[in-house]
Amino acid sequence: MAIQIDISRYTNLALQEHDDGVWIVTLNRPSKRNALDIHTIDELVDFFSLAPRAGVRAVVLAGAGDHFCAGLDLIEHHDQDRSPADFMHVCLRWHEAFNKMEYGGVPVIAALQGAVVGGGLELASSAHIRVMDNTAYFALPEGQRGLFTGGGATIRVTDLVGKLRMIDMMLTGRVYQGQEAVDLGLAQYIVEGSSFDAALELARKTAQNLPLSNFAICSAVSHIQNMSAMDGAYAEAVVAGVVNTQPDARSRLAAFADKSAARVRPNS
Ligand code: 1HE
């Protein structure tokens, strides 16, 4: 039997399950602009540890209010006056949460509005698909705050925008928004209306894929990027051996063979 997720245990995240296996995970501290305190990170670790074994087919990751996420909870960080070792452990916990998202095998689609800054951008860049609306903007204000990124930006944001744009963002606090942000890869989609509605539509679409295919797409691609080309090609063959012979795929292949399956066509 699949593991159950007890929605009532979460306070900083609001969780909602839909019939098609799509879950809505909302950062739910709008009065703090969804700043990431340690409790929120703990809840992200908890949810994304359970999701792959709980039958979650896809996740929409959203932020309540006008802003997706203001990054590290600067007030908590100030009040706690942490030691270097304390903050290293905070960062390791962030990495645990974000790695579970990126490598967990469940598609995560982030719905972005307003500020997606600092640790908020680190969180968003751990999602597999990012959808922004016209209010969304991206920045890394760490340099101005006397800080450095600690939630994976050096890896994931650099992957998205390249090393020198990443360094410029950190040195100057440069803000990216609109189509330019999409052109750089900070988001894959920009929509006129609600990024949440568009993200939900994409999540529903991905949830129609077979779970084992989605598992491979949302774990193997990231793992293989960390390997040498030789080892990556070997790993790809092993994963494809398992996924491409799954019994559940037979009816989909049969539908292609008998011409009842949809064909791939250009957008009209
Ligand atoms: C916060 C935070 C926060 C807001 N930690 N409490 N991140 C930043 O440098 C971004 C800091 N935040 C902002 O620049 C702005 O707050 C926003 C652009 C996101 C939103 O502006 P606005 O005018 O709507 O809100 P506000 O009046 O600035 O803040 C409203 C409340 O949210 C206020 O609390 P209140 O109790 O006084 O009402 C703020 O204190 C609170 N708030 N942002 C804590 N970040 C692993 S390393 C990662 C390193 C980083 O992420 S550094 C980047 C940090």
Side-chain angles (χ1 to χ4, degrees), residues 45-68:
V45 172
D46 195 72
F47 175 79
F48 284 104
S49 300
L50 298 173
R53 292 169 290 143
V56 175
R57 304 279 300 237
V59 171
V60 175
L61 179 68
D66 293 339
H67 298 280
F68 174 71

Side-chain angles (χ1 to χ4, degrees), residues 62-263:
D66 293 339
H67 298 280
F68 174 71
C69 177
L72 175 70
D73 189 319
L74 296 169
I75 307 290
E76 180 186 68
H77 186 58
H78 177 256
D79 290 349
Q80 294 201 354
D81 197 17
R82 291 160 166 145
S83 70
D86 287 344
F87 196 63
M88 176 187 71
H89 287 295
V90 169
C91 292
L92 288 172
R93 197 73 175 142
W94 282 47
H95 292 312
E96 199 176 337
F98 298 174
N99 287 340
K100 282 185 189 302
M101 287 171 59
E102 182 183 346
Y103 293 87
V106 176
V108 181
I109 294 95
L112 306 176
Q113 79 284 6
V116 185
V117 301
L121 177 52
E122 296 183 301
L123 171 64
S125 65
S126 310
H128 303 102
I129 300 177
R130 284 168 298 286
V131 183
M132 63 184 284
D133 71 10
N134 283 321
T135 70
Y137 60 96
F138 304 86
L140 293 170
E142 280 83 347
Q144 286 72 53
R145 306 266 184 241
L147 304 173
F148 188 70
T149 56
T154 55
I155 301 150
R156 294 192 183 91
V157 180
T158 305
D159 258 4
L160 294 177
V161 302
K163 182 173 70 178
L164 293 179
R165 276 197 199 89
M166 163 73 177
I167 290 174
D168 175 30
M169 286 175 82
M170 291 196 71
L171 285 174
T172 67
R174 182 171 184 165
V175 172
Y176 285 109
Q177 61 200 79
Q179 186 60 42
E180 189 181 15
V182 176
D183 294 343
L184 291 181
L186 287 163
Q188 290 104 311
Y189 297 86
I190 184 164
V191 293
E192 284 299 322
S194 145
S195 57
F196 178 83
D197 291 349
L200 181 57
E201 197 179 321
L202 289 168
R204 291 201 164 122
K205 190 169 186 181
T206 66
Q208 289 165 20
N209 299 338
L210 293 178
L212 192 59
S213 297
N214 280 347
F215 179 81
I217 295 164
C218 295
S219 65
V221 175
S222 290
H223 277 294
I224 288 170
Q225 288 303 302
N226 299 332
M227 299 177 189
S228 68
M230 282 291 283
D231 291 340
Y234 180 78
E236 185 187 78
V238 173
V239 173
V242 175
V243 175
N244 296 7
T245 57
Q246 60 181 317
D248 288 350
R250 289 201 62 76
S251 58
R252 294 181 182 224
L253 296 171
F256 181 79
D258 71 19
K259 301 198 184 298
S260 62
R263 264 41 187 172

